[in-house]
Amino acid sequence: MAEKKIRVLIAKPGLDGHDRGAKVIARALRDAGMEVIYTGLRQTPEMIASAAAQEDVDVVGLSILSGAHNVLCPELVRLLKEKGAGDVPVVIGGIIPEGDIPGLKQAGIAGVFLPGTSTQEIVDFVRTLAQKRHAENNNS
Amino acid sequence: MDDKPERSRRAGGAAIEGETPRNPSAGEREWEARVLQPTLEKSPERLSEFTTVSGHPIRRLYTPADVADLDFEREIGFPGQPPYARGIHPTMYRGRLWTMRQFAGFGTPEDTNQRFRYLLEQGQTGLSVAFDLPTLMGYDSDHPLSEGEVGKCGVAISSLADMETLFDRIPLADVTTSMTINSPAAVIWAMYLAVAEKQGADWNKISGTIQNDILKEYIAQKEYIYPPAPSMRLVIDTFAFGVERTPRFNVISISGYHIREAGSTAIQELAFTLRDGMEYVEWALRRGMDVDEFGPRLSFFFNSHNDFFEEIAKFRAARRIWHQATRERYGAKNARTWALRFHTQTAGCSLTAQQPYNNVVRTALQALAAVLGGTQSLHTNSLDEAWALPTEFAATLALRTQQIIAHESGVTNTADPLGGSYFVESLTGEVERGAWEYIEKIDSLGGMVAAVERGYPQREIAEASYRYQMAVDRKEKIIVGVNEYAGEDQPIEILKIDESVARRQNERLQKVRDDRSQEEVSRRLQALRHAAEGDANLMPLIYDAVKAYATLGEICDAMREVFGTYEEVAIT
């Protein structure tokens, strides 16, 4: 059986308009054979969680450069659970102080990517997360 | 779109259509045959093609053959004289150094006021305000969308009361202030002018800059509120108000900085910025304004990226293009309209989170390029900005970097030290021609507003940005400490802004709402709404609303009701 295509939601939460990173990652994931849905700018955690649940994505990728990650990320994880999509892993990239990373992981963020990360590293990480989710869904 | 003019430019040998083929001297040909070829056979060069950070090809060597067509008097000339390739002042930095203007802003207005007064004590010569995202988007600090963002990437300003605190004990009559504000520029500027008035500063004498460049928001930074047409109207309203009431204020800073940060090439940055400038001129002319009245109040803002010579060429080409455009396209007769004045910021996107101290070196080189390119003012980034807003220590070191260039390096002793270099002159010409190709392409699309609506510059930038990222991933472009020479990182101290800022800010805002006359506020907002439906200049009505302590969010909402809001079609 052909492997199920990986679906990823790339989202820009908050008021931040810096979308260079989000666009590069969206394209790199697409070039790696994944199906990518890009939300566009200024999405609330509520909008992102709804889109993730409706589109049945395997991974949500957030791009935040504004410093609002500590508020927005836990909120998104909470809303995903509320919408029955608590099994969808969330990864984040952007300007994230190192000291915030343990807190974000504790809040349920699966991966934090800092400036300078290669697109290949992100593609591999997302693929592993998605394959794990596919495997778990097949077993259940 | 598949037009990529910058890809068609060849610096490395092959003749470009319509250009004179390179004609090396006998001496050069002999050197090539007798000295170069044997060397290449023995030890080939490291790469098959050498390119700038923008992917622009660079020749092995530049000689008189590369500038054979160049007319010294007409194309290079003298500083302070058309076409301004060598700078806009006859004595350049021998007369006066550039303004050292460090962009700062975080937390509450009190926090930023303290940083401003510190920077002025350290010898900084101008202020530059960074606003937080809610302010940039025209929301008050207590708006639901402001949650988590208050005071994070700049200072939170929701009303005139905040602006009064921001400039407390800073005499606006003596200091010039640059404000990075775009969609709500008219409102923030009105607040600044109200503070100046309260301090007793003469509007005829105060100076500073509002960024007020909405076009690059649609193109790159994406902090827009209203659709293009009403946004452009607001910009032209500020032009008209400025010409009449604040003759020394720069009413716009037409910005390539954010275009470059979004991933453009140097040529794209130059072309899109200057074409934006032309768009503003055209809209103002259609309003019946005189180009030589508002032209001298237009200023520019460029990025200084890693590629040293490409950046210097870009700054020199910028002046030449603006001179030609204002003169030939718009018939400007005032030399102050022809002369392009610009601020520079070193490239934030070039900073690395890894081995952050390396950023000091990058910033120094970028700052040096800006100075050799003839900048009028400069911001140098801090070493910690790939992590967070700068600490006081990092911000001071960034300022010291400029002071060392100014006072120790000797580069300020003569105007345009690199003028006449075969390489720099040749590259200046190539960058200039590449930019004109883009400018003409945008003309053919019906101007910049039309091009933006079709996503043309956005797509060109996204392409360039992806191409660069792929080159980095393949190690065709090396970033020290990131894809080569990586090693253990020492954690650095960084600035933290916690959620108590939002709480304090919201308490202040509540007090403003409690203390003002609600009736007066409603009346003035209604007047603004009414005027927005017509075509009166909105600046005086915004000023009235600000003076009654209507908040930024309320004023922007009044205009949102009339103008609607803009949603882009996302391109990936």
Side-chain angles (χ1 to χ4, degrees):
Chain A
M1 194 181 86
E3 205 180 332
K4 195 178 158 202
K5 198 159 183 174
I6 295 169
R7 285 165 69 80
V8 186
L9 183 75
I10 296 293
K12 280 289 299 175
L15 297 177
D16 175 24
H18 293 86
D19 58 1
R20 175 179 183 170
K23 285 173 159 183
V24 165
I25 296 304
R27 185 152 164 196
L29 295 174
R30 205 172 281 148
D31 284 356
M34 302 181 198
E35 206 170 311
V36 179
I37 303 148
Y38 173 50
T39 60
L41 297 172
R42 309 221 160 81
Q43 305 290 305
T44 60
E46 174 69 38
M47 291 153 89
I48 296 167
S50 299
Q54 270 166 26
E55 299 282 351
D56 187 28
V57 296
D58 300 303
V59 179
V60 175
L62 302 178
S63 169
I64 307 178
L65 290 84
S66 67
H69 48 271
N70 289 334
V71 173
L72 296 170
C73 291
E75 179 66 0
L76 175 65
V77 171
R78 189 186 68 77
L79 286 164
L80 281 171
K81 279 188 194 136
E82 198 179 285
K83 292 177 195 297
D87 65 322
V88 178
V90 180
V91 297
I92 172 177
I95 303 291
I96 315 288
E98 213 147 41
D100 291 351
I101 296 175
L104 290 169
K105 294 234 165 119
Q106 212 162 17
I109 299 298
V112 180
F113 296 99
L114 300 178
T117 310
S118 76
T119 56
Q120 191 57 51
E121 195 183 318
I122 294 168
V123 165
D124 293 344
F125 192 86
V126 167
R127 183 175 284 128
T128 308
L129 284 178
Q131 283 165 345
K132 204 168 137 224
R133 182 168 181 268
H134 287 177
E136 278 164 10
N137 286 352
N138 286 341
N139 292 338
S140 58
Chain B
M1 219 156 275
D2 54 6
D3 314 76
K4 294 187 194 71
E6 93 279 18
R7 302 286 285 177
S8 67
R9 305 222 63 78
R10 302 296 309 174
I16 308 169
E17 203 187 330
E19 277 185 27
T20 325
R22 196 170 177 277
N23 185 16
S25 68
E28 188 181 333
R29 279 199 297 265
E30 193 184 316
W31 167 81
E32 229 180 278
R34 296 186 39 181
V35 181
L36 176 67
Q37 285 311 327
T39 304
L40 288 176
E41 277 157 31
K42 258 198 303 204
S43 43
E45 292 175 329
R46 290 182 292 111
L47 302 168
S48 59
E49 196 185 32
F50 287 77
T51 59
T52 66
V53 72
S54 303
H56 187 89
I58 297 294
R59 295 176 59 79
R60 173 180 302 116
L61 180 75
Y62 291 79
T63 73
D66 297 286
V67 291
D69 288 348
L70 204 63
D71 177 336
F72 180 87
E73 305 263 325
R74 202 172 52 80
E75 292 172 79
I76 304 176
F78 300 92
Q81 190 175 297
Y84 304 104
R86 311 207 66 180
I88 61 165
H89 299 299
T91 58
M92 285 308 291
Y93 305 128
R94 291 170 68 104
R96 191 179 159 274
L97 291 169
W98 63 90
T99 303
M100 298 180 191
R101 198 187 287 286
Q102 297 295 91
F103 187 43
F106 61 93
T108 63
E110 286 93 346
D111 295 331
T112 301
N113 174 265
Q114 210 170 4
R115 175 70 67 88
F116 279 171
R117 289 191 291 122
Y118 170 80
L119 286 167
L120 290 170
E121 280 163 22
Q122 297 306 307
Q124 176 168 298
T125 49
L127 294 177
S128 174
V129 191
F131 297 99
D132 71 358
L133 273 167
T135 308
L136 294 170
M137 292 302 296
Y139 295 118
D140 290 336
S141 297
D142 58 0
H143 190 283
L145 287 174
S146 303
E147 206 194 332
E149 316 259 22
V150 176
K152 287 288 166 63
C153 60
V155 60
I157 299 291
S158 300
S159 79
L160 175 56
D162 290 337
M163 203 63 132
E164 288 163 358
T165 305
L166 184 64
F167 291 105
D168 184 36
R169 284 173 286 167
I170 297 173
L172 301 190
D174 304 331
V175 71
T176 65
T177 307
S178 168
M179 285 171 280
T180 298
I181 189 78
N182 294 281
S183 276
V187 186
I188 293 290
W189 191 34
M191 289 180 186
Y192 185 84
L193 293 175
V195 174
E197 193 191 44
K198 285 196 170 189
Q199 289 188 0
D202 182 354
W203 279 12
N204 282 304
K205 293 191 184 133
I206 57 169
S207 182
T209 307
I210 43 173
Q211 195 164 76
N212 202 19
D213 172 14
I214 195 64
L215 288 171
K216 65 92 175 54
E217 296 298 335
Y218 300 116
I219 296 170
Q221 192 171 232
K222 312 290 171 79
E223 284 152 9
Y224 39 68
I225 303 175
Y226 317 112
S231 292
M232 290 296 281
R233 170 203 177 172
L234 274 169
V235 172
I236 307 304
D237 282 356
T238 57
F239 283 16
F241 186 87
V243 161
E244 221 174 285
R245 308 288 305 275
T246 59
R248 295 188 55 205
F249 225 93
N250 299 307
V251 289
I252 194 166
S253 172
I254 305 157
S255 307
Y257 183 81
H258 320 81
I259 292 172
R260 193 67 181 279
E261 291 289 300
S264 82
T265 65
I267 288 178
Q268 289 169 350
E269 177 197 352
L270 182 61
F272 297 160
T273 308
L274 295 180
R275 188 59 188 74
D276 283 349
M278 297 176 205
E279 193 79 3
Y280 293 117
V281 170
E282 288 167 17
W283 281 65
L285 293 176
R286 281 204 290 274
R287 183 77 75 87
M289 295 179 70
D290 173 356
V291 69
D292 283 323
E293 211 167 28
F294 68 86
R297 299 323 316 158
L298 308 181
S299 63
F300 288 83
F301 171 24
F302 293 109
N303 194 300
S304 193
H305 209 290
N306 281 337
D307 203 291
F308 192 69
F309 291 105
E310 183 173 51
E311 294 306 282
I312 294 167
K314 179 185 77 186
F315 301 130
R316 298 174 87 249
R319 285 189 292 268
R320 212 148 64 186
I321 295 173
W322 192 245
H323 165 254
Q324 187 182 340
T326 50
R327 223 169 160 167
E328 292 177 4
R329 291 191 163 201
Y330 310 118
K333 293 186 178 60
N334 184 344
R336 291 190 304 131
T337 305
W338 303 336
L340 177 146
R341 296 170 300 131
F342 71 102
H343 171 70
T344 308
Q345 180 170 341
T346 56
C349 65
S350 74
L351 301 181
T352 62
Q354 298 76 9
Q355 304 177 18
Y357 288 101
N358 296 348
N359 293 329
V360 179
V361 183
R362 290 189 180 98
T363 298
L365 288 167
Q366 295 163 4
L368 183 59
V371 169
L372 293 172
T375 196
Q376 275 59 61
S377 67
L378 181 60
H379 166 99
T380 32
N381 292 322
S382 299
L383 70 99
D384 50 359
E385 292 191 64
W387 290 108
L389 295 193
T391 61
E392 196 163 272
F393 164 78
T396 308
L397 181 55
L399 174 62
R400 295 287 179 255
T401 305
Q402 294 198 38
Q403 291 164 338
I404 290 168
I405 293 172
H407 301 290
E408 298 184 19
S409 74
V411 297
T412 54
N413 288 340
T414 190
D416 188 31
L418 294 172
S421 145
Y422 305 129
F423 175 36
V424 171
E425 293 300 353
S426 176
L427 192 56
T428 301
E430 282 168 16
V431 168
E432 182 183 11
R433 285 189 294 277
W436 272 117
E437 280 185 29
Y438 264 120
I439 290 167
E440 282 157 14
K441 167 79 188 176
I442 293 161
D443 290 342
S444 76
L445 294 173
M448 196 45 120
V449 169
V452 161
E453 282 168 346
R454 289 173 57 163
Y456 173 72
Q458 297 95 310
R459 216 173 280 120
E460 287 293 299
I461 296 166
E463 276 298 319
S465 143
Y466 195 65
R467 217 156 44 221
Y468 175 72
Q469 184 59 46
M470 292 302 105
V472 171
D473 283 0
R474 288 191 297 262
K475 291 196 186 189
E476 289 163 16
K477 295 286 178 202
I478 299 300
I479 302 174
V480 172
V482 174
N483 66 357
E484 202 68 278
Y485 315 114
E488 278 296 293
D489 284 326
Q490 293 287 337
I492 52 165
E493 197 193 321
I494 59 168
L495 184 76
K496 282 202 171 62
I497 292 150
D498 59 37
E499 297 307 316
S500 75
V501 165
R503 191 173 39 74
R504 279 183 286 150
Q505 183 61 15
N506 289 346
E507 283 165 10
R508 291 167 54 94
L509 185 54
Q510 194 49 52
K511 188 167 181 313
V512 168
R513 292 193 210 271
D514 292 343
D515 289 352
R516 65 187 187 179
S517 156
Q518 195 51 49
E519 202 184 321
E520 194 57 35
V521 168
S522 305
R523 200 179 58 72
R524 293 186 188 192
L525 288 174
Q526 186 49 37
L528 172 62
R529 219 174 273 123
H530 182 72
E533 284 162 2
D535 55 12
N537 190 324
L538 297 182
M539 197 53 207
L541 292 125
I542 291 170
Y543 186 73
D544 282 349
V546 158
K547 292 273 285 184
Y549 292 87
T551 66
L552 172 72
E554 290 163 347
I555 295 171
C556 290
D557 275 346
M559 293 190 281
R560 279 185 185 100
E561 285 165 32
V562 179
F563 296 151
T565 54
Y566 181 76
E567 293 274 348
E568 75 164 5
V569 182
I571 297 158
T572 56

